[in-house]
Each structure stands twice: as structure tokens, then as C-alpha cells.
């Protein structure tokens, strides 16, 4: 067991020695990335690519990929999906008359199928089920 731990530790050290995000300001990258997502809402672009966001951050796509994986603990697509589903949840409740397809397009999904699939992965419910559940909770609180 000690041998395997030693090998694993050496591999981790080697990984960080080769890290291309070493020397970059993680705080600056995360602050700008949050600004792009939360203020500029770039995740609404349905064809948003890793390369596009990397260019906005003035880093390489590989650096952005490594940064999101290492610092945020997820891949780039999952990071974008979190923002899209977060806004979709808000819109499903604040705009009950709006159909789910329009909301999917508003938040950056390219199809209803991908919207439903990703939404269910992240929430455990389809968008329609989520809307009904929250509306039921709100109406029972008002009684």
C-alpha cells in the first residue's frame, strides 16, 4: 500500500509540475468567469464553446478546461448546464404562462430533448414536473 501511495503522490506532483494554469491568477480567472456567466449571461448562447469562453478570458482552451476541472470540480459542459438550469428554474416559476420550449431556448439549450435530459439530471425532475411541484408547494403555503 505504501508503494502505491508513493507512486500516486509522485503522479500528482508531476501533474501539477506540468500544469499549464500554474502562474495564472486563479482568483482573476474565476472572477471574470463568474462575471461572464452571472452578469453577461453568456451561457444563453446555445452554441457556446469552450474556445469562445477561453478567448474571452485570454487563456487557451486547454487552460480553461484544466481550470474548470481542477478548480471547480466539473467539466465545462456541466458548468454551463448549471447556469442554464438555474435560470430555467427561475423562469419556470416566474413565467408560468411561458411554454418550456421557449424557456429552453431562452437559457441556451438547442433542443427540448437536451433541455429535458439535462434538467432532469440536475434536479431529478423534468421541467414540467418541477414547475408543477413548486406551484403546488406555493399554493399549499398560501392556504
Amino acid at each position: 500500500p505504501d508503494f502505491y501511495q508513493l507512486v500516486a503522490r509522485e503522479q500528482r506532483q508531476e501533474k501539477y509540475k506540468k500544469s499549464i494554469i500554474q502562474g495564472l491568477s486563479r482568483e482573476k480567472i474565476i472572477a471574470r468567469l463568474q462575471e461572464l456567466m452571472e452578469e453577461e449571461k453568456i451561457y444563453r448562447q446555445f452554441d457556446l464553446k469552450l474556445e469562445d469562453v477561453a478567448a474571452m478570458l485570454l487563456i487557451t482552451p486547454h487552460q480553461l478546461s484544466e481550470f474548470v476541472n481542477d478548480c471547480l470540480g466539473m467539466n465545462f459542459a456541466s458548468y454551463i448546464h448549471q447556469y442554464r438550469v438555474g435560470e430555467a428554474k427561475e423562469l419556470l416559476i416566474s413565467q408560468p404562462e411561458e411554454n418550456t420550449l421557449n424557456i429552453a431556448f431562452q437559457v441556451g439549450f438547442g433542443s427540448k430533448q437536451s433541455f429535458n435530459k439535462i434538467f432532469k439530471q440536475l434536479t431529478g425532475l423534468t421541467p414540467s414536473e418541477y414547475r408543477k411541484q413548486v406551484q403546488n408547494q406555493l399554493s399549499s403555503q398560501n392556504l
Side-chain angles (χ1 to χ4, degrees), residues 58 115 123:
L58 305 175
F115 176 54
T123 66

Side-chain angles (χ1 to χ4, degrees), residues 36-38 40-46 48 79-81 83-87 106-109:
L36 288 169
M37 295 300 162
E38 295 170 13
E40 297 181 32
K41 299 187 186 302
I42 62 169
Y43 59 84
R44 289 179 177 168
Q45 300 170 29
F46 85 95
L48 185 66
Y79 181 69
I80 299 301
H81 293 327
Y83 279 97
R84 288 177 175 167
V85 169
E87 183 174 6
Q106 269 184 274
V107 300
F109 284 99

Side-chain angles (χ1 to χ4, degrees), residues 30 33 50 64-83 122:
I30 201 158
L33 192 54
L50 176 78
L64 177 58
S65 178
E66 184 177 337
F67 176 81
V68 172
N69 281 289
D70 290 350
C71 298
L72 304 176
M74 65 185 80
N75 65 33
F76 179 75
S78 297
Y79 181 69
I80 299 301
H81 293 327
Q82 279 189 336
Y83 279 97
L122 293 180

